[in-house]
Each structure stands twice: as structure tokens, then as C-alpha cells.
Amino acid sequence: MKVDLTIKIGGAAGQGLDTIGSVLSRTLMKCGFFVFGTQYYLSRIRGGHNTFQMRISDESIKAMDEKVDMLVALDRASIEKHLDEMTDGVVIVDMDTVKPQEEHDSLFHVPLLKIAKDTGGNKLYANSVAVGAVMGLMCLDFDVLAEVLSSIFKKKGQEVIDNNIKAARAGYDHARDNYPHGCKFGIEQPEKHHNKMLISGNEAVGLGALAAGLQFISSYPMTPSTGVMNYIAGKANKFGLVFEQAEDEIAALNMVLGASFTGARSMVTTSGGGFCLMVEALGLAGITETPVVIFQAQRPGPATGLPTMTEQGDLLFAIHAAQGEFPRCVLAPGTPQDCFYMTAKAFNIADKYQIPVIVMSDQYLADSLFTCERFDQAKISIERHLLSDEDIKGMQGEYRRYKITSSGISPRALPGQDGVLVGADSDEHDEFGHIDETQENRISMVHKRMNKLELLREEMQVPGVHGPEDAELTLIGWGSTYGPLAESVDTLNGQGHSVNLVHFTHVYPLPAEKIRKLLAGSGKKICVENNRLSQFARLLAAETGIEMYDNVVRYDGLPFTPESIIDALREKGVV
Amino acid sequence: MVSVEDYGNFDTAWCPGCGDFGILKALKKALVDLGRSPNEMLLVSGIGQAGKLPHYLKCNFFNGLHGRTLPPATAAKIVNHELTVMAIAGDGDCYGEGGNHFIHAIRRNPNVTLLVHNNQIYGLTKGQASPTSERGMKTKVNQEGVFNRQLNPLALAISQDCSFVGRGFAGDIKHLTELISKAIEHKGFSLVDILQPCVTFNKLNTFKWYSERVYEMDESEYPLNDRVKAFEKSLEWGERIPLGVLYVNERPVFGDSLDALKSGPLVRKEPKTELVNELIDGFM
């Protein structure tokens, strides 16, 4: 790659990091770069120390880098905390307002506030000045920034647009005219993208649900899942779907089950703590065989934990949650493409098997911005598996919601359809849905439900292998760690090591036989996970008997970077 | 024409003499009087003796979790508003475990009728105090008598402007039938709290106890939309207990303003997935 730059914006909550981050990342993406953005924020609306970090390249990038080339320091803490992450970089700082403790070569004064007031008449434009200065230091075409500002502030009117552009231009010119090292950070603008999008994991899940024909969603806000709820709720009227903010997560999932029972494609969104409250209703979905998609964006627990950080700590919980045994499916997307296509797929699985399907994300995947191929809606089909009115007319005898079949899947009709009465029961029930506590009935109903799990197991996708087939070292991961893992594998192979990656997105139920075959010839296996207890490694061992050589774990609330994975592997002496 | 026979006859797991029989009878009669066929009825219930009621008449039913009657009922009504959706709960179920949902259903005001079989005791778990048990009532686990103040569900509902609030008595089937009919016909969230003797575990609030106290209130005593008067009426309890409709108001109904439901039930609409491409363009 010719270009590989990391830009970090640091400041307190409320200073507009989000705006700078999103304007800049969108602009750079439009310039033709691949952009990857992550946020680090604390659970507060004002103050604290937050950052927005983006990495840009002329080639596809999958993860964050740890070294920083350009830092926009909106407060002193940003300089103090991040100066040691700088390579040979530049710190954009307004020394009229932020007084650095000591002199440093990389500090570059841009009077953000003064320029903002001079050009737009308001300090609010300081963020646009900063974005302009970054573009100026990279000696990039200003017009693209002007275009992005126009589109972002479209709703606020022409005056606001003009002022933002003026402020950004002044910041841009200031950098071009005053930076002593000229175009030191000047980068060649690649060819513009034709088919790329810049999107967060949460937005991609929301789009996937809309593409799947979502009709009803009820949720209670909880970081970091709220973005999906917000995204979908904002489109509800346009799409003719219903969103209802529930009084609590218990109500949310119970509502969604009522909606699904009555025939609407339905989902809830939550994080671990909210999922805890949904567990009772998860079992209800299991025994009533009511399809539902549960989006669960993990954050470090237990209890309130680290509300705005990341972890993959809820895997075994999701798989085992609720009393009793019943089939369920757990999918864990690793990229925004996965978020889009697998969310849509989750609805089809839920409808086909009449089970709850949990889509596991986490703060890292939920909030990060990725540059990826345009989603292709044509690849998504909507498969409802419902009895039509004609099917019902042709039926013999009284309708049985829980009819025993060889597959375990009972033909599903909806209440209100002519010629049927539909019953669902949280008690063990007979084929009609009426309470039946006999042993004979219990056994046949357990067989019926658990049969579906075995059928589903065969449909679960087996991962591909990233890197050389016959590598000496195989890294194993699941869900959001795909990017950092794939990139560390590429880096290590580039350095002459022999490493590959087997990354799981379909995490439960696992098709054991196929996985044993896939991993039969592999060398040393190391499972890399964002948790303390190597939960996926345990699951894999339990389901397939495959044991790891060792595990790499991270549980400090932060995501893996390729560097941190490689360092950990070095420490273990395997590379 | 719908007849009582259409709603079938089932063996029940209720004790002989249970007040639930009266409620079942009144409900069937009300549905027949209103000409509702089993096919258009959806009964949602929780757990407890009341929760079993939907198993004892032919209809669509969703017998869910203890306390969780109202959320699925609310959503089901949104998804198919052509169904008549009723929530069947008990006092422990609705006022204890599901108290939060009760409060928020009042706020949300779905067009759902809630029947609460209020026997002032836990029957299925054999005789513990419920939120509506009287202070001082001794039970196996409240040997010094119940300490907590008795919940007044009608006063709570009226204080929060519940759209329809009524009280019936399982021992007066004729009155209860009419009350249930009115509640079903009312557009908005309707609460029918039904005094129902538990012949096995509640030795205090017996048929005799209720019969000596309940009286049919004069529904022209005050304008039924007068919330303060209705609240005052709802506080009447003890020597005399009023039966009838205590409070009615016409509030906007949950779902009525939703565009998605304007031209027919949500369940029969095709989702507008063709708009997704437009959204995707916005990310480019």
C-alpha cells in the first residue's frame, strides 16, 4: 500500500468529535480512500476523554492501526494521552485555547476558534476549520470536502452550509500556508470508488433487517445496540413498519413474540444487560416455537460493566440462556457485509425453524465505520414458511399448530386465517397447543423441538480458510475479530511465517463433523477472543472435541488490533 | 349466527365452585351477544388459574408467561387489528409480576380488553398473599398477617387516565356479561377487574363476603368521564363495593395514528423492501 495513515481526533464528550470524524471519514472515502473508523468513548454526555480514530489507505483495510500520524487535539488531555502514540506526526492544536504542557516539534498551531469566528461568526464552526486543516495538511482536493459539508448540512439551510465551507476553506488555507513542512503528509489521491460504501456495523444490521422485510420492532435503548433501534425507528414510517419503545426489555421481547405469533416479521435489539431481562421470553419463544430475531451487541459485563466498550463475553450465555432445552441459532457477523446479509438470513432461519435467532455483535463492530463493497439486495430473499389461505383450504382435519412431523417443523398458520384456530402455550402442550403434562406427550414434543436443532446444524455454514491451506499455525476466531485477525495473518505471512485463519460467523449449532474435517490437517491452533475465558474455544471443544494449542484473550474493554494479536503470538513463541 | 356451543366445552383444572367458572360463562355469553366468532378472537393469558381460561373455550390463544399478558396482547392487536384481542390475567399475574406492563398499557392505550380475575390470593401456588390481599390477612407465609397495603387497581388505573375502568363479580354472571361486552366494545384499553372468590385458599373473601358487600352502582351518578368523581368512587371498598363502569374516556388509541395500519392489518402488508437500495445509496 502506498498510503497508510492514521488520524486521531481527541477531546471531551460534547466537543463534536463525532461530527469531525464523520465529515472527515466520508470526505476521505469520497476521495477514493479506504477508511476505517473507530470510536472510543466513555459513558457520559459531557466531558471525559473520547477519541475518534480513522485509518486511511489506498487499499482495502480491515482493522485499526496503533500508531498515529495526525492528531487533532481539542483538549490538553488528548496531547498528554496520545503524544507517545505519534510516529513522526503532526498535532493540530489551537494554542489559543489549549495550552500544551511543554513544547514539542510536532505541535502545529491552528487558531480554530479565531478562524471560526472570523469566517462564520460563530465558534461552532471550529470543527469544520479542523477538518479543513487536516485536508490541507494532506494536500488533498478541497472540493470533495465542500461537497460532503453541503450534503451533511443540507437540512440546516444554505447559510449554515456556506459558513461551514468558508470555515473549512480557511482552515485548509491556514494549513497549506503555515505548516513548515509543506506537504509532508501530502498523499496521492487514488481513483474514486465506484461501488464502495462507508457504513457502521449497526447501520448494516438495520439495513439488513429492512431488506428482510421487518414489520415490527420493539426495544429498550441500551448501548451499544441503540444505533440499530434508532436507525430502523427513523425509517419506520417510510417502510410501513411499526416500532414501539418498550417499558423494559421484558416487555420488548414479549411484545415481539406477540407480534410474531400474529404474523409479523419481528425483532428486538439489546445488549447483554437487556438480554438478561429477555431470557424468560427467550424460553417462551423456544417452547411456543415463535420465530424471532434478537440483535445482541455485547459490551463488557457483568451488570453495568463498561457500558461503552467492547467484549465478546456473552457467547456461552447466549447459547445457554433460559431454563430447559430448546433449539436456537446464534450468528456472529464479522464484517458489515455479514451484518447486512446475516441479519436478513437470521429472519429466514427463524421463520423456517420457528426458533429464536440471536445475532451477536459488540461495541467494536457496532460502532466502527468500514469501507466495503456496496450491498447487493438482490442476494436477499424473504422466506416466510407460512401456510397460505389456499394451503389451509386443502387441509384435512382440524389445524394443529404443533403437529408432529418427521422434521419437527409444524406447518404454521396465523390467528385470524379462515378455517384455523391457532394456539400457543408456554406450558408443555399437545399438538393443538393445549396443556398436556403426560410423559408420552413430553417425550414426543422434546423430540420434535430438538429435531429442528439437528436439521439446522446441517445448514450452518462452515468457515472458509483465510491464508495458506497447509499453514503451520491456525488462528481461530469468531464474530467481530475477523478484521484484526485477517490482517495479522496477512502481515505474518508477508513476514515469512506460515499462518492461516478459520473464522466462524455461524457459531451455534456447530456442524461438528464438517468442522473436524476442516481442521483435521491443521497445525497448532490458537483461538483469539475478546473475553477472559476463551468461550468459543470451550464451545468448539465441547461440540467437536477439538482442543486448542493455546488461547489469546483480551478483556480490557478494547478491541484487538493486528499489532496486539501479533505481539501476543510472539509472547507465546508461536511466531 | 354465533352460539355458545361454538365456543365448545372443555374439562377444566379449576376447583369445583371456583369463581373462574362464572367468568368463563360470562365471557362466552358476551362474545355470543356481540356476535364474535372464535376465529376472530385472540385470548392472551399469563400463568395462574386465570391464565388457563383460554384453554377452556375455542379461540386463538397465546398462553404466555406469568405477568406478561399485556405486551404480547398489545403487539398482536397492532399486527392484526381485525382480531378482537383480550388479555386474561390474575391479580398476582397482572398487579404483581406484571405491574409495570399494566401501568404502561394504560399509558399506551391499545384497543385491548383486560380481564383480571381478582381473588385476592395466589391460587396456583396454594395460598400466598397477592397484591390485592387485605392487610392483616393471615396466610401460610404471612403468619403475622399481610403487612403491605392492599393495592387498589381501579384507583391506580383511573389516576393514570385508563380509557375504561370497570368492576364485576364472578357471582353475578348477568351483570358481568354486560360489563365485559361494554369493555370489548370500548375503543381503547379497558380494564375489567373481576372479584372472584377462591373457594380453596381465600377463607376471608368468600362468596358470602362479596355478596354482602357488592352493589350495582348507578352509572348516571356522575358523568363517567369525570376522573375526580371516578377516583373517589374507586376508593369505596369495605362495607360496600361498587360494581359497574366507574370511568370511561375517549383517548387516542395506540396504533390509530400509524400510517402502516391505515389501509388494513400490518400482517397483510408487503414490506417496502424496494426502498432499501435508496438507503444504500446514502452510504456511498
Side-chain angles (χ1 to χ4, degrees), chain B residues 5-51:
Chain B
E5 286 68 43
D6 292 337
Y7 279 97
N9 252 318
F10 294 80
D11 286 338
T12 75
W14 292 329
C15 306
C18 175
D20 281 331
F21 289 105
I23 301 173
L24 177 60
K25 203 163 176 189
L27 173 60
K28 281 188 190 175
K29 181 77 173 38
L31 297 179
V32 171
D33 288 351
L34 295 172
R36 299 286 208 278
S37 68
N39 180 262
E40 62 187 302
M41 293 304 303
L42 171 60
L43 266 52
V44 181
S45 68
I47 299 299
Q49 295 302 354

Side-chain angles (χ1 to χ4, degrees), chain B residues 87-101:
Chain B
I88 315 290
D91 43 333
D93 194 21
C94 186
Y95 303 142
E97 190 92 19
N100 199 28
H101 309 309

Side-chain angles (χ1 to χ4, degrees), chain A residues 24-131:
Chain A
L24 198 53
S25 46
R26 195 149 294 273
T27 305
L28 293 167
M29 200 270 293
K30 286 213 179 264
C31 285
F33 293 104
F34 289 81
V35 178
F36 184 96
T38 52
Q39 293 183 54
Y40 170 88
Y41 56 104
L42 299 174
S43 185
R44 50 198 288 178
I45 303 299
R46 288 280 180 276
H49 177 68
N50 298 352
T51 65
F52 187 106
Q53 186 164 334
M54 77 191 75
R55 179 180 173 202
I56 63 165
S57 173
D58 55 329
E59 286 177 33
S60 174
I61 40 174
K62 301 184 183 73
M64 200 37 82
D65 204 342
E66 288 189 9
K67 61 161 185 54
V68 175
D69 301 288
M70 301 174 85
L71 173 68
V72 180
L74 299 177
D75 61 1
R76 206 166 86 180
S78 302
I79 303 176
E80 285 160 11
K81 282 184 195 292
H82 305 299
L83 206 55
D84 62 348
E85 294 165 19
M86 309 285 296
T87 45
D88 179 24
V90 56
V91 182
I92 295 175
V93 57
D94 181 350
M95 295 206 213
D96 300 338
T97 54
V98 179
K99 304 277 179 224
Q101 259 178 332
E102 49 194 293
E103 287 280 303
H104 196 277
D105 286 349
S106 58
L107 297 179
F108 172 51
H109 171 56
V110 181
L112 302 174
L113 202 61
K114 184 174 179 302
I115 297 177
K117 283 182 179 162
D118 290 350
T119 52
N122 191 324
K123 63 178 182 179
L124 286 176
Y125 298 109
N127 289 340
S128 288
V129 180
V131 178

Side-chain angles (χ1 to χ4, degrees), chain A residues 67-315:
Chain A
K67 61 161 185 54
V68 175
D69 301 288
M70 301 174 85
L71 173 68
V72 180
L74 299 177
D75 61 1
R76 206 166 86 180
S78 302
I79 303 176
E80 285 160 11
K81 282 184 195 292
H82 305 299
L83 206 55
D84 62 348
E85 294 165 19
M86 309 285 296
T87 45
D88 179 24
V90 56
V91 182
I92 295 175
V93 57
D94 181 350
M95 295 206 213
D96 300 338
T97 54
V98 179
K99 304 277 179 224
Q101 259 178 332
E102 49 194 293
E103 287 280 303
H104 196 277
D105 286 349
S106 58
L107 297 179
F108 172 51
H109 171 56
V110 181
L112 302 174
L113 202 61
K114 184 174 179 302
I115 297 177
K117 283 182 179 162
D118 290 350
T119 52
N122 191 324
K123 63 178 182 179
L124 286 176
Y125 298 109
N127 289 340
S128 288
V129 180
V131 178
V134 172
M135 292 292 285
L137 286 177
M138 290 191 285
C139 300
L140 286 168
D141 187 357
F142 180 79
D143 295 346
V144 186
L145 173 57
E147 196 186 304
V148 170
L149 287 169
S150 303
S151 99
I152 283 185
F153 294 110
K154 201 163 82 188
K155 283 192 187 144
K156 302 209 168 174
Q158 197 56 43
E159 197 192 336
V160 174
I161 292 176
D162 290 345
N163 286 339
N164 272 293
I165 293 177
K166 261 192 283 174
R169 179 84 224 188
Y172 181 88
D173 291 341
H174 180 92
R176 294 295 296 258
D177 297 344
N178 297 292
Y179 186 57
H181 310 293
C183 279
K184 180 179 166 189
F185 297 96
I187 49 178
E188 198 183 316
Q189 206 156 314
E191 257 184 63
K192 289 203 174 159
H193 297 302
H194 293 292
N195 220 20
K196 294 280 185 295
M197 53 198 290
L198 183 70
I199 191 165
S200 71
N202 268 351
E203 289 163 331
V205 168
L207 267 181
L210 293 173
L214 177 71
Q215 291 168 297
F216 185 90
I217 171 170
S218 176
S219 294
Y220 188 92
M222 185 168 186
T223 305
S225 68
T226 317
V228 175
M229 175 186 107
N230 288 351
Y231 185 76
I232 294 172
K235 313 283 181 257
N237 282 342
K238 202 170 167 184
F239 277 76
L241 65 87
V242 175
F243 162 72
E244 177 60 5
Q245 185 178 322
E247 55 268 29
D248 54 36
E249 285 88 349
I250 299 173
L253 187 49
N254 277 283
M255 268 195 214
V256 156
L257 293 180
S260 177
F261 170 74
T262 317
R265 271 214 154 165
S266 306
M267 86 183 290
V268 288
T269 60
T270 191
S271 180
F275 183 66
C276 288
L277 294 187
M278 292 181 181
V279 165
E280 183 194 32
L282 179 72
L284 179 64
I287 196 162
T288 59
E289 305 192 43
T290 306
V292 61
V293 172
I294 298 169
F295 172 71
Q296 212 273 48
Q298 302 161 93
R299 69 192 213 189
T304 311
L306 295 169
T308 57
M309 298 193 198
T310 203
E311 197 165 278
Q312 295 180 300
D314 300 345
L315 175 65

Side-chain angles (χ1 to χ4, degrees), chain A residues 459-492:
Chain A
E459 205 184 291
M460 293 295 275
Q461 194 180 303
V462 180
V465 178
H466 178 91
E469 290 278 340
D470 54 352
E472 288 161 22
L473 178 66
T474 293
L475 301 185
I476 288 173
W478 66 281
S480 69
T481 51
Y482 171 76
L485 277 170
E487 212 172 294
S488 42
V489 163
D490 294 343
T491 304
L492 288 169

